[in-house]
Amino acid sequence: MNSVSPVETAKLATRAALPRVGVLLVNLGTPDTADAPGVRVYLKEFLSDARVIEDQGLIWKAVLNGIILRSRPRTKALDYQKIWNTEKNESPLKTITRSQADKLGAALSDRSHVVVDWAMRYGNPSIRAGIDALIAKGCERILAVPLYPQYSASTSATVCDEVFRVLARLRNQPTLRVTPPYYVDAAYIEALATSIEAHLATLSFKPELIVASFHGMPKSYVDKGDPYQSHCVATTEALRRRLGMDETRLLLTFQSRFGNDEWLQPYTDKTMERLAKEGVRRIAVVTPGFSADCLETLEEIAQENAEIFKHNGGEAFSAIPCLNDSEPGMDVIQTLVLRELQGWI
């Protein structure tokens, strides 16, 4: 029978005495079902957030409840059905985020006092449910991990808002940390570059250029001080340096406009149309602002924008997958988490 050395015994005793630490991965959200009722519930929660639509006045509420929530859920449900994970009856975003949490938990399994869970800002599983579950498992410290490389008030900040709301109802609050945005983190840029190179190597054609498409934002939000646009620019510039490309070979665009206000430009769909009309025939699109594939990448980019490009004369189009739960993607998440857990584990 093998005996345990005094040093190992001391290490085990120290580890057993450490307070439990919870890690909560958080992504944007998803409807529970790919039908109009499910999408309506999701859109109502999403579009009622003052971080997303800043003017929540009577006019907006009338438009939201009287027009948007009556018509948009039906059309968006059809989009979700195109990319739905029918085997698990859930969106790919939910499938991937769960897998990211499972793989992170496995990677940290040698630290028995660390518990990993996941949540969605909108929809289920909720942030409240995630925090409650971690607390129920004895976690006295929680690291919230917004899975957004680039910071914006409508993504990262609203995650923090909800975490703070959940903690505000507790008498015995856990200690909290939040990971910062990682838009130029070396591990993130390297993972993006590696994934792009690996994907391009599988194609039967050579793209003439690559478009980096980020989720859009009303220009007025940036004018008020949101750093999102500058983060997207910094990510793209870092990726260009890593790939040895200039602005003519790796373009920056913004997708997913909503409403009539001016959004950040250039617009992805207009760029696809313009490039095809100018004679570009082969193209690839990467979406560096998304940590997991979702409606905006699998349907809007891989289907809608591919159709726009080909309709206007393009011949070959490829959407590069997000980092997802790939090995490079998990390296990024693990690097961020271990960095922010210093002193706790």
Side-chain angles (χ1 to χ4, degrees):
M1 183 175 180
N2 294 329
S3 60
V4 180
S5 70
V7 173
E8 289 300 318
T9 300
K11 287 182 179 179
L12 291 172
T14 300
R15 182 170 295 175
L18 290 172
R20 302 205 85 183
V21 174
V23 177
L24 188 66
L25 304 185
V26 185
N27 217 315
L28 185 73
T30 171
D32 289 331
T33 56
D35 54 20
V39 174
R40 184 176 294 110
V41 170
Y42 170 71
L43 285 179
K44 184 173 180 62
E45 182 182 9
F46 176 58
L47 296 175
S48 296
D49 186 346
R51 290 286 197 180
V52 176
I53 304 295
E54 293 186 353
D55 184 1
Q56 290 283 326
L58 293 177
I59 294 177
W60 168 248
K61 290 179 180 178
V63 170
L64 176 62
N65 293 288
I67 301 176
I68 295 174
L69 293 180
R70 291 189 178 189
S71 59
R72 194 169 178 83
R74 290 192 296 273
T75 57
K76 296 308 291 183
L78 295 175
D79 291 338
Y80 273 105
Q81 289 165 18
K82 297 175 186 176
I83 57 105
W84 202 249
N85 182 343
T86 55
E87 180 181 348
K88 293 182 178 292
N89 191 27
E90 63 187 21
S91 73
L93 180 63
K94 185 174 286 188
T95 304
I96 295 166
T97 308
R98 179 192 298 109
S99 180
Q100 289 171 327
D102 289 344
K103 288 186 176 182
L104 179 63
L108 302 180
S109 61
D110 61 329
R111 299 168 172 87
S112 59
H113 62 297
V114 177
V115 182
V116 179
D117 211 331
W118 60 285
M120 295 292 173
R121 172 60 187 90
Y122 311 102
N124 295 301
S126 67
I127 289 176
R128 177 170 179 170
I131 291 177
D132 285 349
L134 292 174
I135 292 174
K137 292 176 181 177
C139 295
E140 300 176 21
R141 302 174 179 182
I142 292 177
L143 174 67
V145 186
L147 291 172
Y148 311 112
Q150 297 78 25
Y151 175 95
S152 78
S154 56
T155 55
S156 308
T158 193
V159 167
C160 293
D161 290 346
E162 184 62 16
V163 170
F164 298 152
R165 274 192 289 268
V166 172
L167 296 187
R169 67 183 176 87
L170 301 177
R171 179 174 295 276
N172 185 13
Q173 292 182 336
T175 301
L176 177 69
R177 287 181 181 174
V178 181
T179 55
Y182 51 99
Y183 57 100
V184 288
D185 187 279
Y188 163 64
I189 298 300
E190 182 60 29
L192 283 176
T194 299
S195 69
I196 291 170
E197 291 169 340
H199 182 80
L200 295 183
T202 69
L203 299 180
S204 60
F205 66 93
K206 183 177 181 180
E208 296 165 60
L209 54 84
I210 299 174
V211 172
S213 179
F214 295 82
H215 200 288
M217 170 182 287
K219 182 177 180 296
S220 61
Y221 291 13
V222 173
D223 293 340
K224 294 174 183 177
D226 199 298
Y228 178 69
Q229 183 180 29
S230 65
H231 285 192
C232 295
V233 170
T235 295
T236 307
E237 290 178 345
L239 194 54
R240 285 170 181 156
R241 289 192 296 271
R242 167 58 179 79
L243 293 172
M245 296 181 174
D246 61 20
E247 62 276 6
T248 66
R249 295 186 59 209
L250 179 58
L251 281 60
L252 166 64
T253 64
F254 296 94
Q255 64 183 85
S256 310
R257 299 192 306 283
F258 178 79
N260 298 319
D261 293 339
E262 180 183 357
W263 282 49
L264 297 179
Q265 297 190 42
Y267 300 139
T268 300
D269 54 357
K270 298 299 183 183
T271 300
M272 292 298 146
E273 179 181 350
R274 175 182 63 80
L275 290 173
K277 289 181 176 179
E278 289 177 353
V280 175
R281 294 292 174 261
R282 301 176 302 279
I283 200 170
V285 180
V286 64
T287 47
F290 299 88
S291 61
D293 276 307
C294 54
L295 185 71
E296 288 79 4
T297 65
L298 298 173
E299 195 279 329
E300 184 180 355
I301 293 298
Q303 298 181 35
E304 287 184 26
N305 277 272
E307 175 59 27
I308 292 171
F309 181 67
K310 292 178 180 178
H311 179 75
N312 287 281
E315 297 174 359
F317 180 104
S318 184
I320 301 171
C322 295
L323 293 177
N324 295 323
D325 59 346
S326 66
E327 184 175 344
M330 292 310 305
D331 284 344
V332 174
I333 294 175
Q334 186 173 342
T335 296
L336 294 172
V337 168
L338 289 177
R339 182 185 301 152
E340 297 305 316
L341 286 181
Q342 291 185 51
W344 279 9
I345 61 173

